[in-house]
Every structure is written in structure tokens, then in C-alpha cells.
Amino acid sequence: MQTNTTPPYSSLVAVGDSFTEGMSDLLPDGSYRGWADLLAGRMAARTPGFRYANLAVRGKLIGQIVEEQVDVAAAMGADVITLVGGLNDTLRPKCDMGRVKGLLTEAVERLAPSCKQLVLMRSPGRQGPVLERFRPRMEELFACIDELAERHGAAVVDLYGAPSLADPRLWDVDRLHLTPEGHRRVAEAVWQTLGHDPEDTEWHTPMPATLPPRWAARRVADVRFARQHLLPWIGRRLTGRSSGDGLPPKRPELLPYEGPA
């Protein structure tokens, strides 16, 4: 039997946007769980007194993450910090990739010295026309992440390269956020990246094939998606609003983790 010799980490701080907040892994009380909470639960089971903070807020751009979350996270002195940001920027019609990469560099330079292990991610991408349209920007962002990780000793979780996470069945009806099963797989990926023994060695492999939905069902889903998600998203872009406006961080303090808030 393989024995896990990875030294236990005593604290985790998660920094980012809706992906790290946990949308769309919905709990019965209406709050979101997500991969970061799942990861914290696993880490807490290994380390009594394990502490966890999640500063993520949905809709945040990389500039807002740097301004509102990075210094707060760095000051907490956690063992592990996860940073995922910049993807919301790449989905904007007008995106200055030079500025995005500069801000990401600033975030990494502040966070890396403040923790034992900084974790960065190549975010997953759902198969479809949206991914194809923005793929060049995403891959430019990921190349920057790889370079920063090498320079600052950060770990990189390659979710973009995982076939399973490109499967539309692991994405919610809004086509922007992962299902609970998708978040579970991300938590497993980060867990393994931190050096722990795998609980699921197949998290990255494609799901078993199923018959695709009929044409009529796809059209109904497309209309529902446009009405409930796409049009409101466009409206926020046109008016300069964000889904996270006025929302506080998910778990703003580094406290012992005993399950979802």
C-alpha cells in the first residue's frame, strides 16, 4: 500500500472569481460549495485545526482580484494559496492581454513569497463555439501562467488539458460554470498537485459516451440558455455591471474549517 508522505499543510487561502467561489455547485441553503471547499475539507481531515479562507467573488476581473484580494491573502500567511484569475478578462470583447498578464504577474510576485506553496491553474474550457472564439487569448494567458510558475516556484494544475473537463456534461446550464461533479474533479486535481495520494486516478479521463440529446431538446436548451444566462450577461457587459457587485468574499477570515459556511 502506498503511503502518503506529503507534509500536511495547516492552512489554505483561495483567491479568484466565480470558479473559485464554487458556482454552480449549489448547496440546499442556496450557497455554493465548489472545488476549494472540497479541497479544504480533505486537507482539514488530515490536519487538526486546519484553517481556510476563500476571498473569491463572482465576476471579478484580474485588476479587481489584485486590488481587493491579493494583499489580504498575502497578509494571512497561509501555507497554500490558490490563485485563479484573468479568464473573465479574456471573455470581454475588448481585452488588453498585455495589461492582464502584467496584473497577473503582479499578483504572483506578491503571493509567492507569502506562502509555502502557490498554486496556479490553466482553467478548463468547455467544448463549443465560445471556447474556439476565445482560445487564442486563453492560451496566451496560460503561457504566462506557466512562465510565472517556473520563475516563482508555483505549482500549475492543468485543467485545460484534461479531456474530461471539456465535456459539456460537466458544465452547468449557464455554460460558464462546472457542475458538482466538475468541481469534484478539480478538487482531486489540486489535491494530487499538492502531492497527496490520488483518490481518483481517472479524474482527467473522458466520461463514458452517451447518446447526444435530440435536435429539438438542444434547441429548447439553447433558447433557455439565451434567455436566462446569455442576455443578462450581455446586459451586464453593456452597462459595466458585474454579477459580483456588492457581494462580500465567500469566507473572508482564515478560520478553522468545519464544513460549508
Side-chain angles (χ1 to χ4, degrees):
M1 178 181 297
Q2 185 179 5
T3 302
N4 192 328
T5 58
T6 303
Y9 294 109
S10 65
S11 51
L12 166 69
V13 175
V15 173
D17 51 33
S18 60
F19 175 69
T20 301
E21 184 184 345
M23 297 174 73
S24 292
D25 186 3
L26 193 63
L27 293 170
D29 66 358
S31 63
Y32 293 108
R33 183 177 54 178
W35 66 264
D37 282 16
L38 293 169
L39 177 66
R42 287 197 194 184
M43 298 174 78
R46 290 175 52 88
T47 307
F50 180 85
R51 296 175 301 151
Y52 170 54
N54 190 325
L55 306 180
V57 178
R58 68 196 71 171
K60 293 300 183 181
L61 302 174
I62 187 62
Q64 295 170 308
I65 291 172
V66 170
E67 181 179 352
E68 300 167 12
Q69 300 179 32
V70 166
D71 283 346
V72 176
M76 289 181 171
D79 286 348
V80 178
I81 297 177
T82 64
L83 167 64
V84 188
L87 199 62
N88 282 336
D89 298 78
T90 68
L91 299 178
R92 298 293 177 108
K94 295 181 180 180
C95 173
D96 182 346
M97 286 303 299
R99 179 175 182 273
V100 171
K101 292 187 291 185
L103 287 165
L104 185 62
T105 300
E106 181 180 343
V108 170
E109 288 177 345
R110 292 193 207 173
L111 292 175
S114 73
C115 62
K116 293 180 180 178
Q117 182 62 67
L118 177 63
V119 177
L120 308 176
M121 295 189 200
R122 293 161 57 93
S123 301
R126 180 186 187 274
Q127 291 174 348
V130 173
L131 175 63
E132 294 308 315
R133 178 180 179 184
F134 296 104
R135 188 187 295 275
R137 289 181 183 173
M138 292 171 62
E139 293 186 347
E140 185 177 351
L141 178 68
F142 298 156
C144 177
I145 287 170
D146 290 342
E147 180 184 342
L148 289 169
E150 183 175 0
R151 192 188 314 161
H152 295 280
V156 177
V157 185
D158 185 13
L159 305 175
Y160 180 70
S164 64
L165 293 178
D167 191 320
R169 291 173 293 176
L170 286 182
W171 293 76
D172 194 47
V173 293
D174 67 2
R175 305 182 184 181
L176 289 173
H177 301 105
L178 292 170
T179 63
E181 172 61 14
H183 280 283
R184 184 197 68 79
R185 292 180 183 233
V186 172
E188 177 68 30
V190 183
W191 174 258
Q192 293 183 27
T193 298
L194 290 172
H196 297 296
D197 291 343
E199 295 187 12
D200 176 9
T201 59
E202 303 297 323
W203 71 266
H204 59 286
T205 60
M207 296 174 63
T210 59
L211 289 175
R214 295 178 180 272
W215 181 89
R218 295 199 304 270
R219 298 293 77 78
V220 169
D222 288 343
V223 171
R224 183 181 298 115
F225 160 71
R227 182 176 64 250
Q228 296 181 358
H229 302 287
L230 181 59
L231 292 177
W233 183 85
I234 293 173
R236 290 194 297 271
R237 298 293 81 74
L238 293 175
T239 57
R241 293 178 292 114
S242 167
S243 58
D245 286 348
L247 295 180
K250 182 176 183 178
R251 295 177 63 95
E253 299 181 76
L254 188 61
L255 297 173
Y257 185 64
E258 300 176 351

